[in-house]
Amino acid sequence: MAPTPNALCFGSELPASGATCFASISPNGLILIFLSDRGEEAHTVPFSALAVGAGGFDHDQLVLKWTDRGRTFALHSRDPELIQALRAKAPAELTEALGHATAQVRWRRAIRRLAWGASVAVLVGGLTWLWYGSDMVVDLIVSRIPLSWEESLGESAYRQFLSGQTVVKEGPAVQAVQAMADRLTAHLVESPYRFQVTVVENHAINAFALPGGYIVVFSGLLKQANGPDEVAGVLGHEMNHVLLRHAMERIVKNMGLVAVITVLTGNQQGLAGVMKELGIELVTLKFGREQELEADLEGLRLLHRARVSPDGMITFFQRLAESEGRMVALLSTHPMSEARAERLRTAAATLPRMTPEPFGIDWQAVQGAVR
Ligand SMILES: [Zn+2]
C-alpha cells in the first residue's frame, strides 16, 4: 500500500507547485518516496547533504534543503512525526539547527493563535455591544426571517389557541369585526400580510395578534367596548404589531445568538424548537414599551387614513386601565400608562383634520350576539 504523502518537494525537475511525496528518516538520512505513473521511486539524501530551516507561507513549516549533482531541492512539511524522527536520528549539528527551526515554527504558530484569539474577541465584543447597545443586529436578523416562517409560526399558535376556544363563526359580531378589519386593511400601504380575524366566546377583555397576521378578538372585549371605533382602535394597534414584526423582534432578542445562527442557517424547525425550549409563547408574548408606543402611533395613523375617529382608541385603552378589579387580560400584554395615553393624544392632535366616517354598525346587536 502506498504511504500517505506528508511533504511537498520542490526542485528544478519537479512541478512548480511542488510534488507530493512521503518523507521518512532512516539512520543514513532522509528517504523520499515519490508516487508517479511508473510506480514508487525512492531516493535517499544523506544527513551530510541536508540543511534545516523554517519556511513556507507563514514560516510555520519545516524546510529541508539539499543539492544533488548541482540541482537544488527543498522539502516542506508540517508532519510532527517526521520532525520527531529527524530529531531522534539526525547528527548533532543538524538537530541543533532543527531545534532552532522548530522553535521558530512554534513561535509563528503562537503569534497566529494570538492574532486569531484577538480578532475573535473583537468580533464577539463588537456583536455583544451591537446586541445590547442597539437593535441593529436584531433588526438585521428579523429582516432575514422569511414571511413563510412567520406565517407558519403564527398559524400553528393560532390553531392551537383556537382549538381550546368556542369560535364565533357567524352573526353580527363576526360581521362587525370583519367590516372593521376590512376597512383598516384597505388602507395599509404595501402589506405582505393577509389578516385573518377570529372572534371567540371568552369573557376576558382581550385581543391579540400573532405573527403572519392572525388576530383573535375576545367577546369580553366587544362587551366592554362602547362602539366600533374603540374596537377598531384595538385592531389598528394589533395589526401594527404584526406589520412592524414586533413578535419576531422579541423572539430574536430573547433567543440571542441561537436565533442568529438558526436564521442564518435557514432552519425554521430550529427556530420553533428553540422557542419551545425557552418557553416563548406567542399568545402571551409581552411587547416592550417602545413597541407598544410604535404600534399606538402607527395604529393611530392607520385609523386616520381609514377615517376612523382616533378618540375611541385612546379612551378605550384609558378606560380599561382605570377599571380596577376587573380581569383585563389585554393590559397584561399591553400595559397602559398615563404617559402612553398622553403621547397618543399629542400625536392625534398633530394629524391633519379629518371627518370620521362612522361604521354604521348596530352595536347593541353586536353585543347581544355574544355572551
Ligand atoms: Zn400592543
Side-chain angles (χ1 to χ4, degrees):
M1 209 178 79
T4 316
N6 61 352
L8 259 182
C9 277
F10 298 90
S12 52
E13 283 169 16
L14 298 172
S17 56
T20 53
C21 63
F22 177 75
S24 60
I25 304 295
S26 80
N28 301 323
L30 174 70
I31 298 174
L32 293 173
I33 298 171
F34 289 95
L35 300 169
S36 71
D37 302 339
R38 288 164 288 167
E40 292 180 12
E41 281 177 45
H43 301 270
T44 306
V45 185
F47 286 127
S48 57
L50 286 175
V52 174
F57 184 61
D58 231 354
H59 280 89
D60 64 347
Q61 299 181 17
L62 170 76
V63 177
L64 294 174
K65 285 182 180 160
W66 68 94
T67 46
D68 182 14
R69 278 164 280 170
R71 289 168 305 166
T72 312
F73 292 92
L75 171 144
H76 290 220
S77 177
R78 281 198 177 92
D79 184 11
E81 274 179 42
L82 179 69
I83 297 169
Q84 197 74 41
L86 189 65
R87 181 169 292 157
K89 292 174 188 162
E93 64 268 21
L94 207 58
T95 51
E96 208 170 287
L98 182 67
H100 187 71
T102 46
Q104 203 175 347
V105 168
R106 279 209 200 96
W107 175 241
R108 288 281 169 183
R109 281 191 190 151
I111 292 277
R112 205 155 50 167
R113 264 200 295 271
L114 205 67
W116 249 106
S119 28
V120 167
V122 166
L123 190 72
V124 169
L127 276 177
T128 310
W129 180 80
L130 279 174
W131 196 271
Y132 293 103
S134 79
D135 285 334
M136 236 175 73
V137 178
V138 173
D139 291 347
L140 186 75
I141 295 303
V142 168
S143 73
R144 295 195 57 141
I145 296 176
L147 203 66
S148 60
W149 289 25
E150 244 183 293
E151 279 170 352
S152 97
L153 283 173
E155 197 196 359
S156 85
Y158 190 58
R159 276 176 201 271
Q160 205 183 345
F161 177 80
L162 291 182
S163 70
Q165 297 288 323
T166 308
V167 174
V168 184
K169 294 207 168 70
E170 54 190 7
V174 173
Q175 285 165 18
V177 171
Q178 193 59 52
M180 294 173 209
D182 289 345
R183 173 103 157 250
L184 295 179
T185 51
H187 291 87
L188 293 178
V189 187
E190 286 180 48
S191 159
Y193 301 98
R194 273 174 289 118
F195 284 93
Q196 200 173 319
V197 190
T198 304
V199 180
V200 294
E201 285 280 8
N202 190 315
H203 291 304
I205 301 167
N206 202 6
F208 61 82
L210 294 165
Y214 303 93
I215 296 178
V216 177
V217 176
F218 290 53
S219 57
L221 184 97
L222 300 177
K223 288 280 197 190
Q224 188 68 23
N226 283 342
D229 287 356
E230 294 190 350
V231 177
V234 174
L235 285 179
H237 174 97
E238 294 299 336
M239 280 176 175
N240 276 288
H241 277 313
V242 174
L243 294 164
L244 297 161
R245 310 183 90 180
H246 283 163
M248 304 324 283
E249 282 178 12
R250 274 328 251 188
I251 292 165
V252 168
K253 197 124 196 165
N254 282 344
M255 285 171 63
L257 206 58
V258 183
V260 180
I261 294 160
T262 315
V263 171
L264 292 183
T265 54
N267 189 339
Q268 192 206 335
Q269 287 313 310
L271 188 68
V274 178
M275 278 173 63
K276 202 169 174 184
E277 225 166 84
L278 292 178
I280 299 175
E281 290 241 23
L282 287 173
V283 171
T284 52
L285 195 68
K286 264 198 176 72
F287 296 115
R289 251 178 52 212
E290 283 302 307
Q291 292 180 320
E292 289 305 338
L293 196 66
E294 210 182 359
D296 277 348
L297 297 180
E298 286 306 316
L300 195 72
R301 286 190 194 114
L302 177 58
L303 293 179
H304 189 268
R305 286 201 300 275
R307 291 191 170 276
V308 178
S309 165
D311 298 341
M313 179 187 197
I314 302 170
T315 53
F316 188 47
F317 270 124
Q318 207 167 19
R319 213 171 65 241
L320 291 183
E322 284 159 7
S323 63
E324 281 175 63
R326 297 214 46 173
M327 223 278 274
V328 185
L330 186 70
L331 297 175
S332 73
T333 47
H334 296 78
M336 188 67 188
S337 64
E338 189 46 48
R340 191 175 151 198
E342 199 49 50
R343 291 280 286 272
L344 266 176
R345 264 186 242 107
T346 313
T350 63
L351 291 171
R353 281 184 80 84
M354 170 270 291
T355 315
E357 278 172 25
F359 277 104
I361 290 171
D362 181 349
W363 198 243
Q364 271 189 330
V366 169
Q367 290 187 316
V370 287
R371 281 184 290 119

